[in-house]
Amino acid sequence: MRGISGAARALILCAVLCAVGCALPALSPGAHTPWGTLGLLAALHLVCELPGRCRLLGGPEPAGSGSFFPLLLAAAFLLPPSAAVLVAVPGALVGRVERRPAAARRIWRAAQLALTAGAASWTHGFLGGPVTLGGVAGDTLPDFPYALVPACATALVFSLVLAALDGAILVTAERVALGHAWRGLPARSVGPHLVHALAGLMMAVLWRSSYGPLSALVVLLPMYISCWVFAQYHRRHAAHRNTIRALVQAVDIKDGYTRGHSERVGRASELIARELGMEESRMEALRFAGILHDVGKLGVPTRVLRKDGPLTPEERRVIELHPEYGHEIVRGIGFLDEARAAILHHHERLDGSGYPYGLAGDRIPEFARVVAVADAFDAMTSTRSYRPGRPVPAAVEELRRCAGSQFDPRMVGALACALDRHGWSAAANTVTSDEGRTGRPRQRADVRPPATGPADRPGRPR
């Protein structure tokens, strides 16, 4: 549990205790818990964690427990709340996680899904849903279409509880602002969960029919197909990340002096986006834009990038072409979308004196205005061989001074608020060139201080 905030630990502990409390009635004498149904559903959920980890079914990227929500909803339809709580636990505890701490993430996921399944089961029972499914062994028929009413209400509660817990962990563990943690979560999940509920309802009706549980397993086939599609989605995103990583590594090899700068600009851009309340999809595109903003350096001659001493006017003009080179390099990468405009215009200024096209005000794309602030901030706070990095407050003050003429004041304010809330990693202030640690200070071609004034002042080529 190391590396987790106290608030997140408290939330995880509360979730675990609540889940245990909800499950205790199933263990009490005389509870008449349907252990056969519970055990089979739990085993199925456990097995359903495997497709996302199987190369034949989509590669090593985990499909995640979300792919098997129909099974959890079927458990909510078939079992009492205290038993439904237990179905999700085995699969969640063995599921693969990509980020540390793995144990804490598995425990949280198990408690979260257990509470969600329990709340869904309680809702279904409260609305008389079990009666509408038909009798055991098929002695009564399902009551359609009325069975859809409690099923849809159950899906709605399932979605809301899951979204509430997702938002709570974002606030406590990721320190996301309260106003942004739940933004869009219910709206994005209600539709898919209603579809999951229909699949779960089909499985529950077949389970309680005269054909028995074996017939309900037929529903697993479309679930496995769904899992495969979901795994392909993850593979595509992994391919996107690998494409970006390759481009960034190419830039770092050519201009190792600023190694790590791209990732930090991406991180700062993401902080600004969160503070502005951008949607997750746009936030990811903006992070890509920040990471790739200097990819155009691949088109700048190495002798210019690594030149010692002042640049000639012609060399400065070559340096100032890197946004256009970058735009051409990524033009054919469809998933970058808005990021391409940020790569092209991140050196424009609000007063129209920037490059390459001299755009002004709102004519500068929003992504470009965000990346411009993030780029300047990291340039000022990063330690270079010829000068130490500025303290974060000093860098923010410089950004505020240039707001309105060079930078969008809204983006500067968002970064300042985000830094107050989250701070800035010490990794942002490391030396960005091995050359500067031994030997004389090197004057960089891409970060040219003016004749007078501080180095890396906003507005200078970076």
Side-chain angles (χ1 to χ4, degrees):
M1 298 287 280
R2 288 181 298 179
I4 304 177
S5 68
R9 293 184 187 185
L11 178 63
I12 294 172
L13 180 60
C14 287
V16 169
L17 292 177
C18 288
V20 170
C22 291
L24 284 178
L27 307 176
S28 62
H32 303 294
T33 300
W35 289 107
T37 300
L38 190 160
L40 185 53
L41 287 171
L44 288 174
H45 185 258
L46 180 63
V47 170
C48 284
E49 286 291 336
L50 299 178
R53 300 170 66 173
C54 175
R55 293 185 180 277
L56 283 176
L57 292 172
E61 295 79 29
S65 297
S67 298
F68 311 111
F69 284 164
L71 200 150
L72 296 181
L73 282 159
F77 299 147
L78 289 167
L79 298 171
S82 59
V85 165
L86 298 171
V87 171
V89 174
L93 289 178
V94 302
R96 177 176 172 176
V97 294
E98 293 181 322
R99 296 172 59 191
R100 297 181 179 180
R105 290 180 182 277
R106 288 193 180 99
I107 291 171
W108 164 254
R109 187 64 172 166
Q112 179 189 32
L113 291 179
L115 291 174
T116 303
S121 176
W122 181 89
T123 302
H124 193 251
F126 179 78
L127 296 176
V131 178
T132 67
L133 298 179
V136 179
D139 54 352
T140 59
L141 295 176
D143 190 8
F144 283 110
Y146 300 106
L148 296 175
V149 175
C152 290
T154 299
L156 180 61
V157 169
F158 186 97
S159 182
L160 292 176
V161 172
L162 195 65
L165 292 172
D166 278 336
I169 199 66
L170 285 175
V171 170
T172 55
E174 305 292 339
R175 298 182 181 178
V176 176
L178 280 172
H180 300 153
W182 289 276
R183 188 187 299 271
L185 279 178
R188 290 195 303 268
S189 59
V190 167
H193 289 158
L194 286 173
V195 177
H196 295 161
L198 294 178
L201 181 62
M202 183 192 310
M203 189 172 183
V205 168
L206 288 172
W207 195 290
R208 297 187 63 172
S209 72
S210 58
Y211 299 102
L214 188 61
S215 66
L217 299 184
V218 176
V219 181
L220 287 179
L221 178 59
M223 289 171 64
Y224 268 68
I225 295 174
S226 173
C227 168
W228 183 84
V229 172
F230 197 75
Q232 294 303 310
Y233 170 81
H234 276 279
R235 291 191 72 187
R236 186 181 66 181
H237 272 262
H240 293 174
R241 292 192 296 270
N242 290 337
T243 299
I244 290 172
R245 186 178 300 114
L247 289 171
V248 171
Q249 286 175 346
V251 175
D252 286 346
I253 290 171
K254 185 165 186 175
D255 186 24
Y257 186 80
T258 55
R259 183 171 288 115
H261 170 67
S262 298
E263 288 81 359
R264 295 193 299 270
V265 172
R267 171 59 179 157
S269 298
E270 187 177 23
L271 288 176
I272 296 173
R274 285 194 182 278
E275 201 64 34
L276 295 175
M278 284 188 185
E279 296 179 358
E280 287 292 334
S281 58
R282 295 191 72 216
M283 196 180 306
E284 182 179 43
L286 181 54
R287 183 170 62 85
F288 288 162
I291 293 173
L292 292 176
H293 74 286
D294 274 343
V295 70
K297 287 182 178 179
L298 294 174
V300 177
T302 304
R303 62 176 179 78
V304 176
L305 286 176
R306 299 187 176 184
K307 179 181 179 180
D308 292 324
L311 291 175
T312 65
E314 179 60 29
E315 289 168 337
R316 286 184 62 83
R317 283 192 291 271
V318 171
I319 284 286
E320 291 179 357
L321 288 173
H322 81 269
E324 294 177 274
Y325 292 152
H327 184 261
E328 288 301 314
I329 289 171
V330 303
R331 181 190 291 274
I333 304 178
F335 68 85
L336 288 178
D337 197 22
E338 286 185 87
R340 294 193 292 271
I343 293 168
L344 178 61
H345 296 294
H346 70 278
H347 278 300
E348 305 284 4
R349 295 171 57 114
L350 223 62
D351 60 9
S353 63
Y355 63 90
Y357 298 130
L359 300 183
D362 290 340
R363 293 184 62 199
I364 304 172
E366 183 182 29
F367 275 22
R369 284 177 273 148
V370 172
V371 173
V373 171
D375 185 22
F377 172 75
D378 183 70
M380 288 189 287
T381 56
S382 297
T383 294
R384 302 293 170 86
S385 61
Y386 55 86
R387 59 107 178 108
R390 297 188 189 189
V392 169
V396 172
E397 184 58 34
E398 180 70 8
L399 291 173
R400 291 188 190 278
R401 189 184 67 80
C402 297
S405 59
Q406 180 173 352
F407 303 115
D408 187 329
R410 181 165 164 257
M411 309 308 175
V412 173
L415 178 62
C417 291
L419 293 173
D420 288 340
R421 191 187 314 278
H422 303 285
W424 185 243
S425 170
N429 300 315
T430 56
V431 174
T432 55
S433 171
D434 292 335
E435 300 173 23
R437 297 176 186 175
T438 58
R440 63 186 177 85
R442 180 181 171 194
Q443 185 65 53
R444 285 295 295 149
D446 61 331
V447 186
R448 183 67 48 200
T452 59
D456 288 341
R457 185 168 179 170
R460 303 297 171 182
R462 287 180 293 279

